[in-house]
Amino acid sequence: MLEPRPIYRDTGPIATVVVNCADPRAMARFWSEATDWTLHEVTDDHARLRSAQGVGPYLELLRTSGVETVWNRVHLDLMPYPGDDQSAEVARLRALGATDADVGQGDVPWVCLADPEGNEFCVLTPG
Protein backbone atom coordinates (compact mmCIF):
# COMPACT_ATOMS: atom_id res chain seq x y z
CA MET A 1 0.00 0.00 0.00
CA LEU A 2 1.37 3.39 -0.98
CA GLU A 3 0.59 6.69 0.62
CA PRO A 4 -1.29 9.01 -1.74
CA ARG A 5 1.08 10.91 -4.04
CA PRO A 6 0.25 13.50 -6.69
CA ILE A 7 2.06 11.47 -9.35
CA TYR A 8 -0.49 8.66 -9.02
CA ARG A 9 -3.66 10.79 -9.15
CA ASP A 10 -4.59 9.79 -12.73
CA THR A 11 -3.47 6.17 -12.80
CA GLY A 12 -6.76 4.52 -11.95
CA PRO A 13 -7.21 1.85 -9.29
CA ILE A 14 -3.67 0.45 -9.69
CA ALA A 15 -1.04 3.14 -9.23
CA THR A 16 2.09 1.14 -9.95
CA VAL A 17 3.47 -2.33 -10.48
CA VAL A 18 6.77 -2.76 -8.63
CA VAL A 19 9.56 -5.09 -9.74
CA ASN A 20 12.64 -5.58 -7.58
CA CYS A 21 15.99 -5.47 -9.33
CA ALA A 22 19.73 -5.07 -8.79
CA ASP A 23 20.28 -2.43 -11.49
CA PRO A 24 17.36 -0.06 -12.12
CA ARG A 25 19.17 1.77 -14.94
CA ALA A 26 19.83 -1.41 -16.94
CA MET A 27 16.36 -2.75 -16.26
CA ALA A 28 14.81 0.57 -17.33
CA ARG A 29 16.64 0.32 -20.67
CA PHE A 30 15.34 -3.21 -21.20
CA TRP A 31 11.73 -2.59 -20.13
CA SER A 32 11.37 0.74 -21.94
CA GLU A 33 12.50 -0.95 -25.17
CA ALA A 34 10.46 -4.08 -24.47
CA THR A 35 7.21 -2.21 -23.80
CA ASP A 36 7.67 0.98 -25.81
CA TRP A 37 6.87 2.85 -22.59
CA THR A 38 8.30 6.25 -21.66
CA LEU A 39 10.99 6.48 -19.01
CA HIS A 40 9.86 9.16 -16.55
CA GLU A 41 12.59 8.92 -13.95
CA VAL A 42 15.76 6.89 -13.40
CA THR A 43 18.28 6.90 -10.57
CA ASP A 44 20.62 4.33 -9.08
CA ASP A 45 17.80 3.33 -6.70
CA HIS A 46 14.71 3.24 -8.90
CA ALA A 47 13.23 3.80 -12.33
CA ARG A 48 9.68 4.71 -13.32
CA LEU A 49 8.07 4.00 -16.72
CA ARG A 50 4.57 4.54 -18.04
CA SER A 51 2.63 4.04 -21.23
CA ALA A 52 3.58 6.51 -23.95
CA GLN A 53 -0.10 7.56 -23.94
CA GLY A 54 0.21 8.57 -20.27
CA VAL A 55 -2.55 6.25 -19.09
CA GLY A 56 -2.72 3.41 -16.60
CA PRO A 57 -0.27 2.42 -13.90
CA TYR A 58 3.46 3.01 -13.76
CA LEU A 59 6.07 0.25 -13.85
CA GLU A 60 8.58 0.93 -11.09
CA LEU A 61 11.90 -0.87 -10.85
CA LEU A 62 13.31 -0.71 -7.33
CA ARG A 63 16.86 -1.59 -6.34
CA THR A 64 17.01 -4.30 -3.73
CA SER A 65 19.95 -5.86 -2.01
CA GLY A 66 20.57 -9.57 -2.16
CA VAL A 67 19.45 -12.24 -4.54
CA GLU A 68 15.79 -13.24 -4.85
CA THR A 69 15.41 -16.79 -3.56
CA VAL A 70 11.71 -17.28 -4.15
CA TRP A 71 9.52 -17.01 -7.24
CA ASN A 72 8.39 -13.46 -7.93
CA ARG A 73 4.88 -12.54 -6.90
CA VAL A 74 4.59 -10.20 -9.89
CA HIS A 75 4.40 -11.65 -13.38
CA LEU A 76 4.04 -9.37 -16.38
CA ASP A 77 2.29 -10.39 -19.59
CA LEU A 78 3.09 -8.52 -22.79
CA MET A 79 0.70 -8.49 -25.73
CA PRO A 80 2.04 -7.54 -29.16
CA TYR A 81 0.19 -4.82 -31.02
CA PRO A 82 -2.74 -6.06 -33.16
CA GLY A 83 -1.43 -7.43 -36.43
CA ASP A 84 2.09 -7.99 -35.08
CA ASP A 85 3.68 -11.43 -35.19
CA GLN A 86 4.25 -13.14 -31.83
CA SER A 87 7.39 -14.95 -33.09
CA ALA A 88 8.90 -11.71 -34.34
CA GLU A 89 8.13 -10.03 -31.03
CA VAL A 90 9.76 -12.88 -29.08
CA ALA A 91 12.84 -12.62 -31.32
CA ARG A 92 12.96 -8.84 -30.72
CA LEU A 93 12.78 -9.34 -26.95
CA ARG A 94 15.53 -11.98 -27.06
CA ALA A 95 17.70 -9.52 -29.00
CA LEU A 96 17.14 -7.00 -26.18
CA GLY A 97 18.43 -9.53 -23.63
CA ALA A 98 15.44 -11.69 -22.69
CA THR A 99 16.03 -15.41 -22.25
CA ASP A 100 13.74 -18.43 -22.46
CA ALA A 101 12.04 -19.39 -19.20
CA ASP A 102 10.30 -22.58 -18.16
CA VAL A 103 7.72 -21.97 -15.45
CA GLY A 104 6.00 -25.30 -16.01
CA GLN A 105 3.75 -23.84 -18.68
CA GLY A 106 3.63 -26.94 -20.92
CA ASP A 107 2.11 -26.58 -24.38
CA VAL A 108 0.48 -23.12 -24.38
CA PRO A 109 -0.05 -20.38 -26.97
CA TRP A 110 2.11 -17.86 -25.10
CA VAL A 111 5.90 -17.78 -24.77
CA CYS A 112 7.60 -17.53 -21.38
CA LEU A 113 10.74 -15.41 -21.18
CA ALA A 114 12.83 -13.78 -18.46
CA ASP A 115 14.25 -10.28 -18.42
CA PRO A 116 18.01 -9.77 -17.96
CA GLU A 117 17.68 -10.19 -14.17
CA GLY A 118 15.58 -13.35 -14.40
CA ASN A 119 12.08 -11.94 -13.81
CA GLU A 120 9.68 -14.13 -15.78
CA PHE A 121 7.13 -12.67 -18.16
CA CYS A 122 4.98 -13.99 -20.98
CA VAL A 123 4.44 -12.84 -24.54
CA LEU A 124 0.81 -13.42 -25.47
CA THR A 125 -0.67 -13.79 -28.93
CA PRO A 126 -1.60 -10.43 -30.51
CA GLY A 127 -5.03 -9.09 -29.64
Side-chain angles (χ1 to χ4, degrees), residues 19-20 27 30-31 61 97-99 113-121:
V19 175
N20 293 337
M27 290 289 281
F30 173 82
W31 282 107
L61 308 162
T99 56
L113 298 173
D115 69 21
E117 289 198 14
N119 299 297
E120 297 97 359
F121 66 96

Side-chain angles (χ1 to χ4, degrees), residues 4 14 25 28 36 39 51 54 81-82 87 98-99 121-122:
I14 298 176
R25 290 181 188 279
D36 196 25
L39 182 60
S51 154
Y81 291 113
S87 297
T99 56
F121 66 96
C122 291

Side-chain angles (χ1 to χ4, degrees), residues 33-97:
E33 288 289 323
T35 60
D36 196 25
W37 281 20
T38 302
L39 182 60
H40 286 262
E41 182 179 3
V42 64
T43 70
D44 289 338
D45 293 321
H46 72 276
R48 181 177 294 123
L49 299 93
R50 192 174 191 201
S51 154
Q53 290 77 31
V55 297
Y58 287 88
L59 175 63
E60 294 190 19
L61 308 162
L62 299 181
R63 179 184 295 280
T64 57
S65 59
V67 176
E68 297 286 333
T69 58
V70 295
W71 190 13
N72 292 322
R73 294 182 199 167
V74 174
H75 175 99
L76 301 174
D77 286 341
L78 304 183
M79 182 181 296
Y81 291 113
D84 282 356
D85 179 75
Q86 181 189 37
S87 297
E89 183 62 10
V90 168
R92 185 184 75 83
L93 292 164
R94 285 181 181 137
L96 292 174

